[in-house]
Amino acid sequence: MLPPVRHIIHADLDAFYAAVEQLDNPELRGLPVLVGGRPEGRGVVATASYEARRFGVHSAMPMATAVRQCPDGIIVRPRFDRYREMSGLVMDIFRDVTEVIQPVSLDEAYLDVTEAAANRSPIAIAIDIKERVSAETGLTVSVGLGSGKTVAKIASDLQKPDGLVVVPTGQEADFLAPLAVGKLVGVGPKSAARLHDEGVDTIGQLATMPEAWFARHFGKRGDSIRDRARGIDHDPVQTSREAKSISAETTFAEDLPGNSEDERAELRAIVERLSGRVARSLPGKGLVGRTVTVKLRLSDFTTFTRQTTLPSPTDDEAAIVATAWMLLERELAPDRAFRLLGVGVSGFTQKEGPDETPEPVVAQQRLIL
């Protein structure tokens, strides 16, 4: 029996951080806005307004490069508390439509509106979402609507900003066929380059390749990539808040460098405190983890993570502290100061009993403040 037809929306706020800055400061409207760190501090672009994108500026670009390409760009430091506030307002609008929501980040989410579509056209639902977001927040959101998450996400990106693209049920493969293979979820830039070398440039060409070919090129992901290329996607919208790590983080009142012995000792103490919180939460859940991650935000708001995988799963506080400190110590430099530090553990298995074999689990991602 075929599964019932689903109606999935992917909603993606347009140039979110920059749009919030332009909303709050009318003097920035219509101007090229670059949200991120200063160019002299090795900052990067978090988001660029569409006025700046016309100059080829994009997210994750070094700010120095962005300024060269867009010399009239106005650099604005990120205000993440404000972005979280605005994101919450938008997510509340989504929840008025359906409880089946999977937030992906502050500015995008999947919505399963199948149940709501029993009484209303799914297109009408999508239009209503766009209108409410605009009226109630002043932001614009691009929406893709289809039978699965793959086509919905790709569709939401095709007519930005303020787009609405609908992929009718049964036309998923036709919709995907002419698109560049790199647009398919799971095909990154390196994979796309390899496929291009083999003459596979579009999703439609990818879909025609035999099953064994996918196994050779993508390994265990072969079957799922092949299905997505053919427009087949039954992946559910994950309403569970569970993810794959347990973490703790803190933001400092003042930026903290690690140049002197006292500063390094202070950073070490923070690592110990955060690692302890994470470690103490594991036994109660019966979990041990193999991967330790540190999250760092510099004084210019550049944010990145470093991680390593241990030889065996652990919930030992000392091991987590030692590993997290090793990762942080490698990032200390005379020109760096930190404004946020986080420690996380992932790669979980259930802790073994006397006669048990550990099995992989998916555990709740918890931000322990």
Side-chain angles (χ1 to χ4, degrees):
M1 179 181 296
L2 293 174
V5 173
R6 299 188 302 161
H7 300 289
I8 308 298
I9 282 175
H10 181 259
D12 192 358
L13 290 162
D14 300 316
F16 178 49
Y17 297 168
V20 172
E21 297 301 336
Q22 291 176 320
L23 181 70
D24 289 351
N25 183 357
E27 293 182 359
L28 295 176
R29 295 175 189 174
L31 300 178
V33 174
L34 310 173
V35 179
R38 303 297 304 181
E40 58 271 16
R42 295 187 298 178
V44 298
V45 177
T47 303
S49 69
Y50 283 94
E51 294 84 359
R53 294 184 190 191
R54 298 191 186 110
F55 294 86
V57 178
H58 57 78
S59 299
M61 173 181 283
M63 187 63 77
T65 303
V67 170
R68 284 197 299 271
Q69 294 186 194
C70 181
D72 293 329
I74 302 170
I75 301 174
V76 179
R77 290 173 68 96
R79 299 181 297 148
F80 291 103
D81 288 345
R82 176 59 171 157
Y83 306 151
R84 280 190 286 269
E85 177 188 3
M86 293 300 290
S87 174
L89 296 176
V90 175
M91 295 298 169
D92 285 343
I93 293 172
F94 295 165
R95 291 188 184 93
D96 284 345
V97 177
T98 176
E99 290 295 325
V100 189
I101 300 173
Q102 180 182 343
V104 179
S105 60
L106 290 178
D107 58 350
E108 65 174 309
Y110 292 101
L111 293 72
D112 188 332
V113 298
T114 305
E115 185 175 339
N119 301 311
R120 298 179 62 197
S121 158
I123 298 177
I125 294 172
I127 293 173
D128 183 56
I129 287 172
K130 288 174 58 63
E131 291 178 345
R132 283 196 59 188
V133 169
S134 176
E136 296 177 29
T137 71
L139 302 171
T140 63
V141 60
S142 291
V143 169
L145 171 64
S147 63
K149 291 162 71 174
T150 295
V151 294
K153 179 172 178 58
I154 292 174
S156 71
D157 192 49
L158 290 184
Q159 291 184 5
K160 276 184 162 288
D162 201 19
L164 172 59
V165 176
V166 179
V167 183
T169 301
Q171 297 183 26
E172 294 86 356
D174 291 340
F175 164 76
L176 294 171
L179 301 178
V181 70
K183 286 190 174 292
L184 191 66
V185 176
V187 179
K190 291 183 179 178
S191 294
R194 279 199 312 271
L195 295 174
H196 178 73
D197 290 342
E198 295 193 27
V200 179
D201 299 317
T202 67
I203 297 176
Q205 291 171 330
L206 180 65
T208 64
M209 305 306 288
E211 188 173 353
W213 182 92
F214 280 91
R216 288 197 307 273
H217 283 72
F218 296 101
K220 294 180 179 180
R221 299 187 302 128
D223 287 344
S224 64
I225 298 283
R226 181 170 181 260
D227 282 345
R228 289 174 189 164
R230 297 159 65 207
I232 301 169
D233 180 8
H234 304 307
D235 185 31
V237 174
Q238 302 282 357
T239 58
S240 171
R241 296 181 183 271
E242 294 191 359
K244 299 180 181 180
S245 69
I246 292 177
S247 62
E249 67 180 46
T250 185
T251 300
F252 309 136
E254 296 182 0
D255 294 347
L256 181 60
N259 299 326
S260 68
E261 288 188 12
D262 287 345
E263 291 166 348
R264 288 165 64 89
E266 186 174 355
L267 285 171
R268 171 77 187 209
I270 294 168
V271 167
E272 292 176 352
R273 175 166 56 86
L274 297 176
S275 298
R277 290 182 182 180
V278 172
R280 288 190 294 273
S281 71
L282 295 174
K285 302 176 184 299
L287 298 174
V288 287
R290 294 192 62 173
T291 302
V292 176
T293 301
V294 295
K295 175 182 176 182
L296 300 168
R297 179 169 297 148
L298 303 180
S299 56
D300 67 354
F301 288 89
T302 300
T303 304
F304 57 95
T305 60
R306 296 291 184 263
Q307 66 179 38
T308 190
T309 300
L310 303 174
S312 59
T314 187
D315 60 2
D316 180 71
E317 181 173 338
I320 296 171
V321 169
T323 306
W325 175 246
M326 175 195 70
L327 292 169
L328 172 57
E329 197 171 25
R330 292 174 179 172
E331 301 303 323
L332 300 180
D335 60 345
R336 276 185 167 177
F338 303 96
R339 62 181 299 113
L340 177 147
L341 171 60
V343 176
V345 173
S346 58
F348 293 122
T349 62
Q350 294 288 351
K351 191 170 186 178
E352 289 186 79
D355 300 310
E356 295 176 346
T357 301
E359 296 181 358
V361 297
V362 176
Q364 173 77 35
Q365 179 179 15
R366 296 178 59 191
L367 183 63
I368 309 169
L369 300 175

